Amino acid sequence: MPRVSEQYRADRRAEIMAAAARLFAINGFHSTSMADIIGESGLSAGAVYRYFRSKEDLITAVAETALSSADEVFGSLLAEGATPSPEQAMTAMIHVIDGEMAHHPALGIDVTRVGLQVWAEALRSPQVAARADGVYKRLRGYFAEVARRWQAAGQLDAGAVPEQVGAAMLGLMQGFIVQRLLVDGTDPDDYLAGVKALRQSID
Amino acid sequence: MPRVSEQYRADRRAEIMAAAARLFAINGFHSTSMADIIGESGLSAGAVYRYFRSKEDLITAVAETALSSADEVFGSLLAEGATPSPEQAMTAMIHVIDGEMAHHPALGIDVTRVGLQVWAEALRSPQVAARADGVYKRLRGYFAEVARRWQAAGQLDAGAVPEQVGAAMLGLMQGFIVQRLLVDGTDPDDYLAGVKALRQSID
């Protein structure tokens, strides 16, 4: 019997996460049990519990994998003192939401559906709430950094507060996630055009 | 025994809805049963079923009551050919979300919490999804009408599509709802200041 390799472990872990993600996306967290996840994964209970001790561990792991696309986008947008415009940053994120997140390569599902489940779950679970708070502060921080550099370049009012501008940009992303899932016919380019037109009209 | 009056019926109906709303806001729809609602209301099962045949009926009734504040805001904003600015419309809605919706006078709860539950539920229930689609098209329509009048007044680019601008404004409201519930320290006036600064900086 071959020694269990790092690669083998990573593959099993990914399989279990994908099985859990499929069930979370369809049924939500509450209607999904560890037994369901074990069944969906096709592995033994012992094998699954070796990687994840609880459903909460799986929710956290799935959410982190789902968000890594966003981290990558900002990693490259904010690389080496670049000065991305708010429009560039929002366009990149909307396309990641509608692209890699909607068709997640590793999890095989639309991870934004899990996002909506996380929001609802955060109202009940202080653990999930604490993680959601952390995640959104990180994402708002990325957008705030975009605003800060834009401001340093003289393109944003000197009196503007980057964190506030970051919250507005993050809000536009969250709103797009809601509309894309719940309002028939929502289109990423239409949404971006709407944001642009709204910005071009200043009261 | 006095005749059961319209007022009596309206009061009982409101009591049952408030009981259901309290449980929905805390536990979500899935962990709330009709038996729980009957217990919380303090009325008999027969009395409760006389007003609402199912949990779905109650979800719908609570959601409609929760949204009536938004309808009222736009009813007055868009009255008699007024020309509200996008900023006026967004400011009014953010204050309703943080005010009347967060402390709903009839339901006695923060109804935006029920909103997040509805979003998650819409992913599972085609019935709830159909209603959410209708509700958000109506709200987007209000914001689109604000954009249309703003455009007619020459304040918004003639080439802009009012529905797209409406979607962006609605997205900012949905994002505020998410952040207000999930990101510690979210403040309505900070958020509005962020929106304003973002609009004043055009790439």
Side-chain angles (χ1 to χ4, degrees), chain A residues 25-31 85-88 90 112-114 116-124 129 132-134 136-137 140 150 155-157 160-161 164-172 174-176 178-179 181-186 189-191 193-203, chain B residues 25-31 85-88 90 112-114 116-124 129 132-134 136-137 140 150 155-157 160-161 164-172 174-176 178-179 181-186 189-191 193-203:
Chain A
I26 298 167
N27 302 323
F29 301 133
H30 273 252
S31 312
S85 69
E87 188 177 345
Q88 282 173 322
M90 290 191 281
T112 67
R113 295 173 66 95
V114 177
L116 256 63
Q117 307 286 353
V118 167
W119 297 348
E121 186 64 15
L123 300 181
R124 278 175 288 188
D133 180 73
Y136 285 118
K137 282 188 176 146
R140 190 178 63 188
W150 203 237
Q155 306 266 37
L156 175 65
D157 192 272
V161 180
Q164 293 175 349
V165 179
M169 287 195 265
L170 176 61
L172 280 162
Q174 292 164 326
F176 176 68
V178 174
Q179 291 182 43
L181 289 173
L182 303 186
V183 187
D184 222 37
T186 298
D189 296 317
D190 287 352
Y191 191 83
V195 171
K196 190 172 191 167
L198 180 62
R199 294 182 65 206
Q200 280 169 345
S201 144
I202 307 149
D203 317 359
Chain B
I26 299 166
N27 303 321
F29 301 134
H30 274 252
S31 311
S85 69
E87 188 177 344
Q88 283 173 322
M90 291 190 282
T112 69
R113 295 174 65 96
V114 176
L116 255 64
Q117 307 285 353
V118 166
W119 297 349
E121 186 65 15
L123 301 180
R124 281 175 286 189
D133 180 73
Y136 285 119
K137 282 187 176 146
R140 190 177 64 189
W150 203 237
Q155 307 266 40
L156 173 67
D157 192 272
V161 179
Q164 293 175 348
V165 179
M169 287 194 266
L170 175 61
L172 281 161
Q174 291 164 326
F176 176 68
V178 174
Q179 292 181 43
L181 289 173
L182 303 186
V183 187
D184 223 35
T186 298
D189 295 317
D190 287 351
Y191 191 83
V195 171
K196 189 169 191 169
L198 180 63
R199 292 182 67 206
Q200 279 169 344
S201 144
I202 306 149
D203 317 358

Side-chain angles (χ1 to χ4, degrees), chain A residues 64-79 92-93 96 100-101 104-105 138-139 142:
Chain A
E64 261 158 27
T65 304
L67 281 163
S68 60
S69 326
D71 290 317
E72 279 162 30
V73 166
F74 283 103
S76 77
L77 270 176
L78 296 170
M93 265 309 292
V96 163
E100 206 170 303
M101 288 188 160
H104 197 276
R138 185 166 95 232
L139 293 177
Y142 292 143

